[in-house]
Amino acid sequence: MGCVISHLSAKFAFFPPSPPTYQITKRDDGKLTAIYTSSSMPLTSAVGAVDDGGGGGGGSFDVLSLRTRRGNKIVAFYLKNPYAKLTLLYSHGNAADLGQLFDLFVQLKANLRVNLMGYDYSGYGASTGKASELNTYADIEAVYECLQTEYGVSQEDLILYGQSVGSGPTLHLASRLPRLRGVVLHSAILSGLRVVCHVNCTFCFDIYKNVNKIRKVKSPTLVIHGTEDDVVNWLHGNRLWKMAKDPYEPLWIKGGGHCNLELYPDYIRHLYKFIYEMEIMTTKTRLAKMKLPKKTSPTCSCSCIKVGQPSCPKCPKLQCPECCGMPRCPGCSCCLNWNCCSWGWVKPKCPDVKLRKCPSCLGCGCCTCLGTCMRCSCW
């Protein structure tokens, strides 16, 4: 039963354009180029800001064929901005391919001043194989490896962008990269099954369990969602934002649907603000945002343990500047009143300090009360 539902969820998740909107061909110099299926014209013919290698233009455009660990060959587009400091890795939605998104990529590259890497999932566009959850994970891993080896992009200079179903592979990779610069979730899903059935619990046969992976992401996370999204309800984005460890100011586009958020002026304005703040964020600030565990041990060189204050109102508050506020017994480095019920000291190793046995010594345990019992055999 679980396999059947998982298969149905996958059918709801993947709608690759058929036929693909572009094709891949080889040029005379051996490099790959992309052409529109309908017109056989290069994708760059309608865009003057991108150079596909022939000279001029405001950057470079590379067409790549990458092999994944699951044996598929996927197509990726790399658009370089000469003024960029960061790189955006874009994972698209379920019903688009690179041919349809190329114009958007050019605009994002120019307006956000970033390098941009987009890719088609297995079974999409000119990529081989079949679309599936596990294949998309392998796909984004192959693209990230390419960014590292071919373009020298480290995770500190990378922002992951996931739209709709693309939020699945995006959070999959983001949960494994603790020093990632940032994450953008655009019309993201909590999980595949939650889009179809609106369930509140997670089943083993569900796909893209973003509701679990968002907790593992340590990077600043921007969530963008339309309030009138009739495909993935706004509540998906709202919950992901609330569950993020380092949530950035979200963008709820009033009246926005599932596939038209790019048309709203607030979209590019807010996204640019996020990119800019990620650019100027220093290493010190990023480490502070990761909420590293604080040291709880005392900083002094002695072997004492930090203690609280005595519970008896008549007792003075003992402070020792050399011993983290803890008194020490004469002649040794251990604590005199080690069995104090109100301070919780540990047992000393010194053989001269003996275990108290009489009822008077087992009372408050504070300095004033112990002063009345200093002559007993316990001491």
Side-chain angles (χ1 to χ4, degrees), residues 15-308:
F15 298 98
S18 182
T21 63
Y22 71 97
Q23 296 176 356
I24 300 299
T25 62
K26 263 191 179 181
R27 298 188 311 198
D28 295 338
D29 58 3
K31 292 185 177 180
L32 298 177
T33 186
I35 62 174
Y36 286 109
T37 303
S38 58
S39 63
S40 298
M41 295 291 292
L43 269 63
T44 56
S45 61
V47 182
V50 174
D51 177 21
D52 63 353
S60 64
F61 169 49
D62 297 336
V63 179
L64 308 167
S65 179
L66 309 174
R67 184 171 291 278
T68 74
R69 58 179 171 82
R70 293 176 66 87
N72 298 320
K73 279 189 175 182
I74 62 170
V75 176
F77 291 173
Y78 180 76
L79 289 77
K80 182 175 178 60
N81 187 321
Y83 305 104
K85 295 180 180 179
L86 301 178
T87 299
L88 193 73
L89 174 50
Y90 193 105
S91 300
H92 61 69
N94 66 343
D97 63 16
L98 293 179
Q100 295 171 323
L101 293 168
F102 183 72
D103 290 348
L104 173 64
F105 287 173
V106 172
Q107 295 301 319
L108 291 178
K109 182 205 75 167
N111 293 330
L112 302 179
R113 291 181 46 151
V114 295
N115 302 316
L116 192 145
M117 175 74 91
Y119 66 102
D120 262 337
Y121 311 124
S122 299
Y124 276 72
S127 299
T128 65
K130 185 178 180 181
S132 71
E133 178 187 13
L134 294 181
N135 277 342
T136 60
Y137 293 160
D139 297 341
I140 195 172
E141 290 170 6
V143 175
Y144 173 62
E145 183 179 354
C146 174
L147 284 172
Q148 285 184 303
T149 57
E150 298 298 325
Y151 298 100
V153 178
S154 64
Q155 60 176 291
E156 290 86 354
D157 298 322
L158 183 65
I159 293 177
L160 300 185
Y161 188 114
Q163 179 191 16
S164 189
V165 167
S167 60
T170 291
L171 288 177
H172 165 78
L173 184 60
S175 64
R176 301 182 173 201
L177 302 179
R179 299 188 306 277
L180 197 64
R181 185 61 69 104
V183 176
V184 179
L185 300 177
H186 174 166
S187 302
I189 64 174
L190 286 167
S191 73
L193 203 58
R194 282 174 170 84
V195 177
V196 180
C197 303
H198 304 288
V199 294
N200 292 321
C201 52
T202 301
F203 296 93
C204 61
F205 49 80
D206 200 354
I207 63 172
Y208 295 129
K209 303 182 181 91
N210 295 340
V211 67
N212 297 335
K213 293 183 179 180
I214 186 66
R215 297 184 177 95
K216 302 177 183 178
V217 177
K218 298 181 180 180
S219 312
T221 303
L222 165 63
V223 178
I224 304 173
H225 218 108
T227 59
E228 301 299 325
D229 192 328
D230 58 355
V231 178
V232 179
N233 192 280
W234 167 81
L235 294 174
H236 285 248
N238 186 48
R239 186 172 175 190
L240 287 171
W241 175 69
K242 289 182 177 179
M243 296 174 66
K245 279 191 173 182
D246 187 6
Y248 187 81
E249 179 188 355
L251 176 60
W252 311 130
I253 298 182
K254 187 176 181 180
H258 189 68
C259 302
N260 64 349
L261 302 187
E262 298 89 348
L263 303 178
Y264 289 81
D266 284 344
Y267 167 81
I268 197 69
R269 188 182 300 120
H270 198 81
L271 190 55
Y272 176 81
K273 178 185 174 185
F274 175 74
I275 298 292
Y276 176 74
E277 291 188 13
M278 295 304 104
E279 279 185 357
I280 64 176
M281 184 184 298
T282 63
T283 302
K284 183 178 180 180
T285 305
R286 280 188 286 140
L287 290 176
K289 281 181 171 290
M290 290 172 65
K291 300 177 182 178
L292 298 176
K294 297 181 180 179
K295 293 182 179 180
T296 56
S297 57
T299 56
C300 65
S301 58
C302 66
S303 59
C304 66
I305 299 176
K306 194 171 182 179
V307 299

Side-chain angles (χ1 to χ4, degrees), residues 1-11 203-207:
M1 181 63 181
C3 294
V4 174
I5 297 180
S6 181
H7 180 67
L8 289 174
S9 299
K11 279 186 173 294
F203 296 93
C204 61
F205 49 80
D206 200 354
I207 63 172

